[in-house]
Amino acid sequence: MKHVLVALLILTAFVSGAFWLLSDDRLHPNIQALITLTHPSGDSRAFTYLLGLQAPQGQHPEIAGETLLTQVRKYENTVTLTSTDTSTHEIYTGDTLSLPEQSRHCSFSETHCLRELFETPSPTQSPSPEEQVLLERWHQFIQLDDYQVLTQPGLSEYVPPYLYLTAANRISMVNSIRQANAGDSLLARQQLLANIAALRYLLAAEGHLIGKMVAAKMMSDQIDVLNALQQRFELPPAPPILPLTVPEKSLRLPLARELTMIANLYQEMDSEPGLFDPDLPIPPWLARLLFKPAISTNAMLPIYEYVITGSEIDPVDFISHVQPHNMPVIKTNWIRNPVGTILNRVALPDLHVYAIDMQDLDVKIGLFNAFNQSPSHSTQSVLNTFTNPYYPDGSPMKASIESHRICVPGPAKRNELRCLHGFFNDTSGSPN
């Protein structure tokens, strides 16, 4: 009898151990809440319009976008969300609007970019047909107020044509410069301020991480042109630009989408015989023994929450937030989830740089307001009184001063969005 009891205990322990090794955890409630954010609440004219922004002249972008969205949804129903099939990029096979010449699409990080923009569009120069189409579409797009991403998150999802959106943004700025050169500098300023207001809405509503960064860069460029306009034409102070709100800065929507994509990927890998190699299948029980989708996804949560929090706090708090001792590490589970532990270490991108970009844009707004509201034309006098939102105690404050831009110190060398471009120390109205 004694031997039977021992055998039963051993068997029970073996079964319990096997069940424990094969079982997965539940997804954390916070992950489930983030996944819910990726579900569209209805239709979106703005998103379908953006999808059709590349349609050729003569076609209405919203109609073209609706047709494309139908094709995208058919594609989503025929492949897995984790498919890496590149045919998603070939869904749109029709004609496209020709992009305008790239010479006007210089980067503001280039020394002479702003000078060229202000000198090229003469008052008598008309936009090209392609530019005029994109300009009209830009004005229509920024008036729509129901933007939300309607596609499903996945490795091969169809990404909106952001290249056409950035081109339209640049053309709108060139058009404002053209108006200012023709003598309507105040009207040009009004258009730039309206564009900035519209981009703030897009910042808050955008659910794609790529789209969020595109919106941030477009808004940064609009602020640079506004600042250059103020300096070149010596305009009275413009209305100050308000600091970014939490929804405008937040990466919650884009990172919810990124995490959902990972959760989908891991779920489809559950008990997958081809976990290591499709040509060398393993038993499903062995695949489950080595990899657990929920444990793997839950382990990523602290990283994503850390970055989301970093994007939503004030710049001064962000400095302490990103100190090495505050940064979370990915949880490991070598016994129950060895493959998931390895995948998490390999697959996690450096997400905190995107939180830095959002904080930098907020700092840039403060730098613009300092120059816009100062009666002095001296760059140095403005900087002497400017309080860097990252370091309100004044240390370190030394700014990088160049002929075409001013950059204040911050949490990383990646500082393009916190550099303000313009014609500094230029009291004559001509660029340096």
Side-chain angles (χ1 to χ4, degrees):
M1 185 67 179
K2 181 178 179 180
H3 294 292
V4 173
L5 290 175
V6 171
L8 287 174
L9 288 173
I10 293 175
L11 180 61
T12 301
F14 176 79
V15 172
S16 299
F19 179 79
W20 178 72
L21 288 173
L22 289 170
S23 65
D24 197 3
D25 293 346
R26 293 177 179 271
L27 276 181
H28 193 284
N30 288 1
I31 293 180
Q32 295 175 342
L34 288 173
I35 291 175
T36 301
L37 294 178
T38 67
H39 301 158
S41 58
D43 295 329
S44 170
R45 289 186 59 199
F47 185 76
T48 54
Y49 196 98
L50 177 58
L51 285 181
L53 201 63
Q54 61 190 329
Q57 188 174 359
Q59 292 188 19
H60 194 284
E62 190 172 348
I63 296 176
E66 289 174 352
T67 301
L68 178 57
L69 182 59
T70 300
Q71 295 173 328
V72 169
R73 285 174 171 164
K74 287 181 180 178
Y75 173 84
E76 292 174 343
N77 291 331
T78 58
V79 299
T80 62
L81 294 178
T82 59
S83 171
T84 56
D85 182 7
T86 57
S87 63
T88 180
H89 305 296
E90 300 172 1
I91 291 177
Y92 187 88
T93 57
D95 295 332
T96 58
L97 182 71
S98 298
L99 283 170
E101 58 183 283
Q102 296 298 308
S103 60
R104 295 185 183 177
H105 294 187
C106 59
S107 171
F108 288 172
S109 61
E110 300 171 11
T111 304
H112 302 294
C113 181
L114 269 176
R115 177 189 298 177
E116 293 172 358
L117 285 176
F118 272 82
E119 291 179 351
T120 300
S122 65
T124 58
Q125 180 181 2
S126 300
S128 68
E130 293 83 5
E131 289 178 329
Q132 187 60 43
V133 170
L134 270 179
L135 185 61
E136 292 172 359
R137 292 179 178 180
W138 165 261
H139 288 312
Q140 180 64 34
F141 173 72
I142 64 176
Q143 292 176 19
L144 300 174
D145 60 357
D146 65 344
Y147 187 90
Q148 62 174 328
V149 178
L150 299 181
T151 53
Q152 299 182 49
L155 294 179
S156 60
E157 69 174 291
Y158 188 87
V159 179
Y162 291 119
L163 181 62
Y164 282 82
L165 186 61
T166 57
N169 180 65
R170 181 55 63 97
I171 291 167
S172 74
M173 292 186 293
V174 171
N175 188 62
S176 295
I177 294 172
R178 182 182 291 111
Q179 285 186 329
N181 286 341
D184 293 331
S185 55
L186 291 178
L187 178 60
R189 184 175 76 176
Q190 182 179 347
Q191 289 184 341
L192 291 169
L193 290 170
N195 290 341
I196 292 171
L199 288 171
R200 295 183 75 123
Y201 167 77
L202 183 60
L203 267 180
E206 181 59 79
H208 269 296
L209 184 57
I210 295 174
K212 185 85 172 186
M213 294 303 106
V214 166
K217 182 63 169 63
M218 291 193 300
M219 182 173 172
S220 173
D221 287 351
Q222 292 275 354
I223 293 172
D224 284 330
V225 172
L226 177 61
N227 181 63
L229 191 77
Q230 289 287 119
Q231 294 175 328
R232 184 176 179 91
F233 294 98
E234 298 185 6
L235 300 180
I241 301 175
L242 297 178
L244 295 178
T245 64
V246 170
E248 291 165 353
K249 290 171 59 174
S250 178
L251 293 174
R252 186 172 299 275
L253 285 177
L255 292 191
R257 192 172 188 84
E258 294 291 310
L259 189 56
T260 299
M261 181 178 66
I262 292 175
N264 290 338
L265 170 64
Y266 284 170
Q267 187 58 49
E268 291 194 1
M269 293 170 58
D270 187 20
S271 303
E272 172 57 46
L275 181 64
F276 296 110
D277 188 339
D279 297 327
L280 297 173
I282 61 176
W285 66 265
L286 180 56
R288 166 54 80 95
L289 183 68
L290 297 174
F291 175 76
K292 315 290 191 304
I295 291 177
S296 303
T297 306
N298 289 341
M300 306 280 275
L301 179 61
I303 305 296
Y304 280 79
E305 290 185 325
Y306 170 78
V307 177
I308 290 172
T309 298
S311 69
E312 295 178 345
I313 57 181
D314 293 333
V316 62
D317 297 323
F318 183 76
I319 294 297
S320 58
H321 180 74
V322 295
Q323 294 304 309
H325 64 273
N326 288 330
M327 296 185 181
V329 295
I330 301 177
K331 295 180 180 180
T332 60
N333 196 324
W334 292 106
I335 297 176
R336 296 177 63 200
N337 190 40
V339 171
T341 296
I342 294 172
L343 284 176
N344 282 348
R345 289 189 169 189
V346 172
L348 183 68
D350 187 8
L351 295 171
H352 85 282
V353 296
Y354 301 111
I356 292 176
D357 282 345
M358 301 314 300
Q359 295 290 351
D360 283 353
L361 180 59
D362 206 19
V363 169
K364 179 172 189 165
I365 289 174
L367 189 58
F368 165 78
N369 287 335
F371 278 95
N372 173 57
Q373 298 168 16
S374 173
S376 172
H377 292 288
S378 169
T379 299
Q380 193 58 57
S381 65
V382 174
L383 291 180
N384 288 340
T385 58
F386 174 69
T387 300
N388 185 345
Y390 281 128
Y391 307 104
D393 61 355
S395 166
M397 182 53 241
K398 186 177 181 181
S400 171
I401 305 175
E402 304 172 17
S403 62
H404 66 294
R405 71 176 188 174
I406 291 178
C407 302
V408 297
K413 293 181 179 179
R414 175 186 169 118
N415 66 352
E416 182 58 32
L417 289 186
R418 67 170 179 266
C419 292
L420 181 66
H421 296 75
F423 304 134
F424 296 100
N425 287 332
D426 179 17
T427 59
S428 65
S430 59
N432 293 328

